[in-house]
Amino acid sequence: MPRAKDEPKTVAVTNQGATNNLLTTIVMVSENPYLVFSGSKSQYLTEQICKSLGCSMGRMTTQHFADGEFAVSYEESIRGRDVFLVQSTFPSADNLMELLLMIDAAKRASAHYITAVVPYFGWARQDRKDKPRVSIGAKLIADLLSTAGITRLITMDLHADQIQGFFDVPVDHLYASSVFMDYIEKTMPLDNLVVATPDVGGTKRASSYARHLGVPMVICHKTRLRANEVAEMRIIGDVEGKDVLLVDDIVDTAGTITKSADLMLKNGAKSVRAMASHAVMSDPATERVNESGLSEMIFTDSIPYIKGSPKVKIISVANLIAESIKRVCSHESISSLYSF
């Protein structure tokens, strides 16, 4: 298990005495017990995590070859160290492959403890067999990470909580609610607020927000023609004259959440905001958000959102992840970090 942050490393120094007796002196050398490394596409977040931790980002290089293959190497010794490897596995699959190579390289370099920090866990929507002859992608990714050599996983807002059970190593499942709640309470009119979910699958999440804030909840019930295409949607509950907050874990093409917002306004809502942990935002998501009735769209920085929109606000989870790393190293509980 990792050492506590303030626990010094003990080094024995042996000196030859005048009478040929061995004199052993114990020297206490303070050393940061962990190293934090970043994958290529998560450096923006890792820099903020390291700033919060008060440490430098570990030195690592990724070499790319002409055929698209690449290799990673650590440019400092990690033997016997506790390493934290930060990389979200959003598209493309190169990000996942790079993380797997980082894990493998750390294992072969004799790292003591390897923690994968995966703010956005990709393939999580494939968490069960919903029809015959399909893969369960989330279980496959869990197996790949475990086989590569992780000893712990830190992730945030999994699409389905049961994915934690796909791992045989400890999983620290963080929630963006701990950073979202402060923003809600400071900027939104709670006396007129209604929390909504854009689909039935998010009822538990929306219910938790509504219960914590002490406000009503409504549900959008949808049916799909196929993936990423909504056929029909209706509202269960009353939104007339209310300020609506839609909460979700992932926004991909933004079709569901923008249709929900427009439907809320059509049914008399005063305003509609949306909040989601992961900004996948595949085309044409940005255009849909800009053209919708949403007054604001709030994400975390688990995935870099580079396209930009005047309606989109990004809230960082770097401090949340940094505090989790500290507590893992000092063997403290992280449950107190959760708002609910």
Side-chain angles (χ1 to χ4, degrees), residues 194-204 206-207 216-222 233-239 244 246 260 263-264:
V194 168
V195 173
T197 174
D199 56 49
V200 175
T203 302
K204 180 181 177 181
S207 177
M217 183 189 80
V218 300
I219 300 170
C220 281
H221 181 266
K222 68 181 180 184
M233 184 176 290
R234 63 187 67 182
I235 296 175
I236 304 173
D238 181 24
V239 297
V244 178
L246 285 159
S260 298
L263 185 60
M264 298 286 181

Side-chain angles (χ1 to χ4, degrees), residues 202-241:
T203 302
K204 180 181 177 181
R205 182 182 303 104
S207 177
S208 297
Y209 275 87
R211 185 171 59 252
H212 186 81
L213 293 167
V215 300
M217 183 189 80
V218 300
I219 300 170
C220 281
H221 181 266
K222 68 181 180 184
T223 56
R224 289 187 183 274
L225 288 174
R226 58 187 65 86
N228 296 126
E229 188 173 339
V230 178
E232 183 185 9
M233 184 176 290
R234 63 187 67 182
I235 296 175
I236 304 173
D238 181 24
V239 297
E240 187 170 359

Side-chain angles (χ1 to χ4, degrees), residues 30-325:
S30 294
E31 183 183 72
N32 194 335
Y34 51 78
L35 291 168
V36 181
F37 295 90
S38 175
S40 300
K41 296 299 176 65
S42 291
Q43 288 191 10
Y44 69 99
L45 179 57
T46 310
E47 288 172 355
Q48 296 303 311
I49 292 171
C50 289
K51 182 178 179 181
S52 182
L53 289 169
C55 68
S56 300
M57 190 163 64
R59 299 191 303 276
M60 189 193 83
T61 60
T62 302
Q63 181 182 6
H64 291 266
F65 302 99
D67 63 352
E69 188 176 318
F70 52 91
V72 301
S73 62
Y74 295 99
E75 301 304 316
E76 58 186 295
S77 175
I78 60 174
R79 182 179 294 273
R81 303 295 294 276
D82 305 324
V83 297
F84 291 81
L85 312 179
V86 183
Q87 178 80 308
S88 284
T89 57
F90 56 94
S92 67
D94 283 358
N95 295 315
L96 171 61
M97 189 64 197
E98 184 180 34
L99 175 60
L100 293 171
L101 291 173
M102 290 166 65
I103 296 165
D104 184 68
K107 180 176 65 175
R108 296 177 188 278
S110 300
H112 171 236
Y113 204 73
I114 304 170
T115 300
V117 182
V118 187
Y120 171 67
F121 186 90
W123 285 271
R125 285 172 282 184
Q126 301 175 44
D127 62 327
R128 65 194 184 284
K129 283 190 70 173
D130 56 352
K131 61 181 181 179
R133 298 176 296 280
V134 296
S135 63
I136 303 178
K139 179 63 169 71
L140 175 61
I141 302 307
D143 289 344
L144 288 171
L145 292 172
S146 298
T147 301
I150 65 168
T151 44
R152 192 179 201 95
L153 174 73
I154 297 176
T155 188
M156 186 179 74
D157 278 337
L158 289 168
H159 186 66
D161 288 345
Q162 65 265 24
I163 291 173
Q164 296 172 76
F166 294 166
F167 289 87
D168 292 324
V169 299
V171 176
D172 293 314
H173 187 201
L174 308 178
Y175 296 94
S177 59
S178 53
V179 294
F180 281 155
M181 197 54 61
D182 184 57
Y183 182 80
I184 293 171
E185 292 173 343
K186 287 181 178 178
T187 65
M188 299 185 188
L190 298 183
D191 58 334
N192 195 46
L193 188 67
V194 168
V195 173
T197 174
D199 56 49
V200 175
T203 302
K204 180 181 177 181
R205 182 182 303 104
S207 177
S208 297
Y209 275 87
R211 185 171 59 252
H212 186 81
L213 293 167
V215 300
M217 183 189 80
V218 300
I219 300 170
C220 281
H221 181 266
K222 68 181 180 184
T223 56
R224 289 187 183 274
L225 288 174
R226 58 187 65 86
N228 296 126
E229 188 173 339
V230 178
E232 183 185 9
M233 184 176 290
R234 63 187 67 182
I235 296 175
I236 304 173
D238 181 24
V239 297
E240 187 170 359
K242 300 293 185 179
D243 295 298
V244 178
L245 174 63
L246 285 159
V247 294
D248 210 347
D249 61 330
I250 299 169
V251 174
D252 188 354
T253 61
T256 298
I257 208 152
T258 53
K259 283 180 181 292
S260 298
D262 293 340
L263 185 60
M264 298 286 181
L265 292 170
K266 185 177 178 181
N267 280 266
K270 183 179 177 182
S271 68
V272 183
R273 294 179 175 88
M275 184 172 278
S277 304
H278 308 298
V280 178
M281 295 295 280
S282 308
D283 287 335
T286 296
E287 291 77 6
R288 284 175 172 170
V289 169
N290 289 339
E291 295 169 2
S292 73
L294 285 168
S295 57
E296 190 175 34
M297 180 80 239
I298 305 109
F299 293 116
T300 75
D301 56 355
S302 64
I303 298 175
Y305 177 62
I306 58 177
K307 295 182 181 179
S309 166
K311 293 187 177 183
V312 172
K313 179 177 178 60
I314 305 296
I315 300 177
S316 181
V317 292
N319 291 337
L320 172 64
I321 294 173
E323 184 61 26
S324 300
I325 290 174

